[in-house]
Amino acid sequence: MSERISITTEPTAPPLGGLLAATDFSTGAQAAAQRAATLAQELGTPLTVLHVLQHDWMTELATWLGDPQPRQRILADARASLEAVVRALQAQHTVAVDAALVEGHPVRDIDGFARQCQARCVVLGASGRGGALLPLLGTTVERLLRKAAYPVLMVRQAPRRGYHRVLVAVDFSPWTESAVALVDTIAPRADVWLLHAYAVPFEEKLRFAGVDDETIERYRQHSRERALHGLHHLAQQRGWPSTRYQTVLHEGDAAPAIVDEAVQRECDLVVIGKHGTSAAEELLLGSVTKHALAQVPCDVLVSPLRTPA
């Protein structure tokens, strides 16, 4: 008889500072758990797999049926499913895996668990049991990102290896440096493209004011040169050699540029800050970040951290 997996219901029991993979046992969540285990093995860090049973639904079911037995069966099924996930991960990866089963609210309890355990990163699948992709960003992924004080990795593809081709969206906001730094943690051996989308400041107003094309072109060239200098400066701060990264400048909107470049360069990961330069408060999720989460075909890593002012 196989040994029973120990499953905690206390958020302080698993090791601190590891990775946290939230699962609803869907196909998307399975890919996320596999990616989390791959990363945990590469980083030499423990992994906790968390499943949250929605308390309101469980309570309503018991009340409607007038019988607590279905609730106990659901708990037992969830525990068995969680054990199966852990066993599968341990069979394929050399990594310490803990499991936690919590009854509560998915967003609140994933966030609370991550904070209590000081998770280095929370890993989620891009779609849940309904199979919906992100137009339904308004559910668990987006709401968790609004609260997150830790990196969140949204997994779209089942992992075949560690990340090898990474696109980092750079807007020189306070979130940029932390996003670039995450590459060294999550994808230390990957080839990196640093992408910045720029525009001539107030170009429409300049043209309306009668500024000539030659002057506007000088402004455009100045914007490019300043952006290029900034990208190289970010890489140099990380100590990256010139062979580690390439710079990509795009004139125009950042959101479609991120998607196009990720596809064109066959990236397996896009890294982006939680907000952009126009973010008004930390409860908001930047529009470019939302677009990337919804549209890029690969995994997306969102950094919620900002450099001090």
Side-chain angles (χ1 to χ4, degrees):
M1 183 175 180
S2 61
E3 180 183 357
R4 184 172 178 79
I5 304 289
S6 175
I7 297 181
T8 181
T9 57
E10 297 295 330
T12 54
L16 300 179
L19 300 182
L20 176 64
T23 183
D24 61 0
F25 310 125
S26 64
T27 301
Q30 291 173 20
Q34 288 289 343
R35 173 58 74 184
T38 299
L39 285 173
Q41 182 171 310
E42 290 178 343
L43 300 175
T45 191
L47 168 65
T48 299
V49 181
L50 169 68
H51 178 67
V52 180
L53 280 167
Q54 192 146 341
H55 177 75
D56 293 346
W57 178 78
M58 296 278 285
T59 302
E60 184 177 349
L61 176 67
T63 302
W64 185 67
L65 294 175
D67 181 0
Q69 292 303 311
R71 178 179 178 277
Q72 296 305 317
R73 286 196 295 271
I74 292 170
L75 282 168
D77 288 345
R79 181 179 291 272
S81 296
L82 197 52
E83 289 179 350
V85 170
V86 172
R87 292 189 192 284
L89 296 177
Q90 290 176 330
Q92 299 173 49
H93 303 273
T94 308
V95 61
V97 184
D98 287 279
L101 178 62
V102 175
E103 187 178 342
H105 184 277
V107 175
R108 182 193 65 209
D109 286 292
I110 293 171
D111 177 66
F113 203 97
R115 292 173 186 269
Q116 291 278 353
C117 297
Q118 300 171 28
R120 295 176 66 177
C121 183
V122 172
V123 186
L124 302 170
S127 58
R129 285 189 175 276
L133 219 53
L134 301 179
L136 288 184
L137 230 191
T139 55
T140 303
V141 175
E142 183 180 4
R143 288 183 303 188
L144 184 64
L145 278 167
R146 289 175 184 271
K147 299 168 70 70
Y150 37 79
V152 176
L153 175 62
M154 188 192 72
V155 176
R156 265 212 174 85
Q157 302 170 336
R160 294 172 294 180
R161 58 182 185 180
Y163 292 120
H164 278 209
R165 302 173 68 85
V166 178
L167 179 72
V168 186
V170 174
D171 63 0
F172 304 114
S173 71
W175 286 266
T176 292
E177 288 185 25
S178 297
V180 174
L182 272 177
V183 176
D184 283 334
T185 299
I186 300 299
R189 291 177 292 278
D191 294 328
V192 180
W193 285 266
L194 298 175
L195 167 67
H196 176 69
Y198 71 97
V200 177
F202 313 114
E203 180 172 0
E204 290 186 8
K205 290 184 172 63
L206 291 173
R207 292 191 181 280
F208 183 77
V211 176
D212 60 88
D213 290 344
E214 184 178 346
T215 300
I216 291 175
E217 184 57 35
R218 285 203 303 271
Y219 287 149
R220 177 176 287 106
Q221 186 62 29
H222 177 70
S223 295
R224 285 182 60 86
E225 291 173 356
R226 185 172 61 178
L228 186 61
H229 175 78
L231 293 177
H232 284 301
H233 180 68
L234 282 170
Q236 290 162 6
Q237 282 184 310
R238 300 304 311 164
W240 291 354
S242 58
T243 54
R244 174 82 197 277
Y245 72 97
Q246 297 181 51
T247 59
V248 183
L249 294 177
H250 173 85
E251 184 174 0
D253 292 340
I258 293 169
V259 178
D260 291 345
E261 291 293 337
V263 171
Q264 177 183 334
R265 301 179 191 281
E266 299 180 339
C267 293
D268 46 22
L269 179 67
V270 167
V271 182
I272 192 168
K274 183 175 179 180
H275 307 293
T277 52
S278 61
E281 56 178 308
E282 294 201 3
L283 290 177
L284 299 178
L285 188 62
S287 60
V288 174
T289 302
K290 290 175 68 173
H291 185 89
L293 285 164
Q295 298 297 328
V296 297
C298 60
D299 297 356
V300 180
L301 176 63
V302 179
S303 171
L305 307 175
R306 59 177 293 165
T307 52

